[in-house]
Amino acid sequence: MATVNLADARRIIEAAEARAAEIGQPMNIAVVDMGGNLVAHVRMDGAWMGSVDISVNKAWTSRAFDIATKELGMNSQPGQQFYGIHASNHGRVMIFAGGIPLRRDGMVVGAVGVSGGTGEQDQSVAEAGAGAL
C-alpha cells in the first residue's frame, strides 16, 4: 500500500519552506505517513519552538481523521457535530488551520502539518506543501 516516504516528505517540506519564505514567516513543517508516524520535520530558523509539537499534531490529526484541521475546526465549535473533539486522543487533536491530508490517486497516504504563523499563513504554507506531492 502506498504511503508518504522520505523523498516525498523532503519535496513537501521544500515547497512549504519556499512559501513560508515568500510570505516572510518562519514555520515548523511536519510530514506524517499513512499510519500517522512522523517522516520528517523542519523548524525554520526563527520559527517558534512552541510550534514544533503543534505542527506534528496538526499532521497527525489530519491523517487520523482524513480531514483538513481547518475544516475540523469549523465543525468542532459549540453546537457543531464535532464539538469537544480536541479533548480526545489525550489532547493531541488540533482544530485550527494548517493540517492537510496528503492524497495520491484519491487515497490518503499521509499528511502535512504547519505551525508558526496565523491560521491563514499556516494554511497557505500547508497547501503549498501538499501541492508538491
Side-chain angles (χ1 to χ4, degrees), residues 3 20 27 30 34 41 66 80 84 92 104-105 112 118 130:
T3 190
M27 298 283 191
M34 65 184 301
H41 177 272
D66 294 340
Q80 298 298 313
R92 190 168 187 192
R104 184 179 284 137
D105 299 323
V112 59
T118 66

Side-chain angles (χ1 to χ4, degrees), residues 54-71:
I54 295 170
S55 66
V56 172
N57 286 337
K58 283 183 181 183
W60 180 87
T61 298
S62 287
R63 177 54 195 106
F65 298 103
D66 294 340
I67 189 172
T69 56
K70 179 180 178 179
E71 187 178 342

Side-chain angles (χ1 to χ4, degrees), residues 108-131:
V108 176
V109 294
V112 59
V114 175
S115 185
T118 66
E120 186 175 290
Q121 290 172 324
D122 291 356
Q123 186 69 23
S124 174
V125 172
E127 287 171 358

Side-chain angles (χ1 to χ4, degrees), residues 10-34:
R10 286 181 172 153
R11 196 169 54 254
I12 291 161
I13 288 172
E14 183 179 318
E17 281 183 295
R19 177 65 181 141
E22 182 181 301
I23 64 172
Q25 183 63 49
M27 298 283 191
N28 284 279
I29 305 157
V31 177
V32 299
D33 64 16
M34 65 184 301

